[in-house]
């Protein structure tokens, strides 16, 4: 028997076998990571038949994001009132507080602080720095944000790991050389719950909107798809919360709905 020839055949066999296994691992993994083109085409077709046109690309890559716990910066109505209004505040209603500094009202997780006469002082180089100094002056500490300057102030929008936390934002508004008001909802990240987990494929989410009561009933176009988090049920007070991963599906500038993105 020619052992040299036999060993050569075995080596070639093992090489071919390893190449085959490597091929399967790569493309099986790719199938798990990316949405197939035919599924995207099918989803687009179903939406179109239901009067919804895709005006933006459907992401092919499946998403995995981390969930976390977050604490309300308003730990307690009374304590927050003392912090921003001073020791001499009085409670004037069920969720209303007042002092020489101004008036503070709560509605669930939201608060509105209207100042009587608070001068901004030495102006900063830009509105954002001025607004941050105003928040610090009232012991309001926030992190993980992006700031958007407007004609009358600054809006701080929360972003965690590069993704926006929808409904978690603070407004700082000016009136001339004075601070007019501070308002909004804000939850500070406190801890991660677990490693990043895979979200529901966006194609499944898009099909789900057909049964959503918030979905526009007339012919419309989806203009943007944004994955992020949502602080939900802000009409009730929450000391802490676990922001929900959602897809923000936009039909225009001010027309959008949030859809649950969780896989389970």
């Amino acid at each position: 028997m020619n052992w040299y020839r036999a060993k050569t055949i075995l080596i070639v066999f093992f090489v071919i076998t390893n190449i085959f296994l490597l091929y399967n691992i790569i493309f099986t993994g790719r199938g798990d990571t990316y949405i197939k083109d035919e599924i995207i085409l099918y989803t687009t077709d179903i939406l179109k038949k239901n009067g919804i046109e895709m005006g933006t690309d459907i992401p092919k890559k499946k998403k995995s994001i981390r969930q976390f716990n977050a604490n309300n910066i308003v730990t307690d109505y009374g304590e927050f009132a003392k912090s921003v209004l001073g020791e001499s505040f009085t409670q004037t209603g069920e969720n209303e507080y007042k002092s020489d500094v101004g008036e503070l009202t709560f509605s669930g997780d939201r608060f509105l602080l209207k100042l009587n006469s608070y001068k901004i002082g030495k102006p900063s180089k830009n509105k954002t720095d001025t607004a941050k100094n105003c928040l610090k002056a009232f012991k309001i500490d926030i992190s993980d944000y992006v700031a958007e300057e407007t004609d009358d102030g600054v809006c701080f929008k929360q972003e965690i790991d590069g993704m926006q936390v929808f409904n978690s934002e603070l407004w700082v508004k000016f009136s001339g050389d004075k601070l007019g008001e501070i308002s909004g909802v804000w939850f500070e990240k406190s801890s991660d719950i677990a490693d990043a987990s895979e979200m529901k494929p966006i194609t499944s989410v898009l099909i789900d909107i057909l049964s959503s009561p918030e979905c526009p009933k007339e012919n419309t176009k989806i203009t943007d798809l944004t994955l992020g988090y949502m602080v939900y049920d802000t009409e009730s007070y929450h000391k802490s919360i676990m922001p929900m991963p959602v897809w923000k599906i936009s039909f225009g500038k001010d027309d959008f709905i949030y859809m649950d993105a969780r896989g389970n």
Side-chain angles (χ1 to χ4, degrees), residues 12-184:
V12 172
F13 174 80
F14 286 127
V15 169
I16 293 173
T17 302
N18 287 333
I19 292 174
F20 176 78
L21 291 173
L22 180 61
Y23 177 91
N24 275 294
I25 289 171
I26 292 173
F27 282 89
T28 298
R30 184 179 178 185
D32 289 338
T33 306
Y34 291 87
I35 303 171
K36 294 180 179 179
D37 290 339
E38 53 265 36
I39 294 177
I40 291 178
L41 290 173
Y42 174 77
T43 302
T44 303
D45 187 53
I46 290 294
L47 292 172
K48 190 173 183 179
K49 288 179 179 178
N50 284 270
I52 301 175
E53 183 182 347
M54 287 301 305
T56 186
D57 292 335
I58 297 177
K60 290 186 176 182
K61 189 172 183 179
K62 295 180 181 179
K63 305 290 186 178
S64 295
I65 63 176
R66 190 184 306 276
Q67 291 187 261
F68 58 91
N69 286 316
N71 295 329
N72 198 331
I73 60 170
V74 179
T75 55
D76 174 85
Y77 285 177
E79 287 298 317
F80 191 77
K82 183 191 294 185
S83 176
V84 299
L85 294 179
E87 296 281 350
S88 60
F89 77 91
T90 57
Q91 185 169 354
T92 58
E94 183 178 0
N95 297 319
E96 299 175 353
Y97 301 82
K98 188 176 181 180
S99 76
D100 293 339
V101 176
E103 298 180 355
L104 175 66
T105 58
F106 296 98
S107 177
D109 291 322
R110 298 183 178 277
F111 74 90
L112 169 60
L113 173 63
K114 291 186 176 182
L115 287 308
N116 289 335
S117 181
Y118 185 88
K119 288 190 176 182
I120 296 173
K122 186 178 179 180
S124 300
K125 293 181 180 179
N126 55 54
K127 289 183 180 179
T128 299
D129 287 343
T130 301
K132 285 166 60 178
N133 291 335
C134 290
L135 291 177
K136 289 180 180 179
F138 288 92
K139 301 177 183 178
I140 298 175
D141 297 317
I142 63 173
S143 60
D144 299 318
Y145 62 80
V146 292
E148 294 183 1
E149 297 185 0
T150 63
D151 291 339
D152 61 347
V154 179
C155 178
F156 293 93
K157 296 185 177 182
Q158 191 172 31
E159 280 196 2
I160 302 293
D161 297 331
M163 287 182 287
Q164 188 177 342
V165 183
F166 306 114
N167 294 350
S168 185
E169 59 185 38
L170 288 181
W171 282 91
V172 178
K173 294 186 177 181
F174 307 120
S175 179
D177 63 345
K178 298 178 181 178
L179 173 61
E181 63 181 50
I182 302 173
S183 64

Side-chain angles (χ1 to χ4, degrees), residues 47 50 52 204-215 217 257 259:
L47 292 172
N50 284 270
I52 301 175
S204 298
V205 176
L206 289 170
I207 295 299
D208 287 344
I209 69 173
L210 297 177
S211 58
S212 171
E214 296 179 326
C215 180
K217 302 304 179 185
I257 61 175
M259 294 295 294

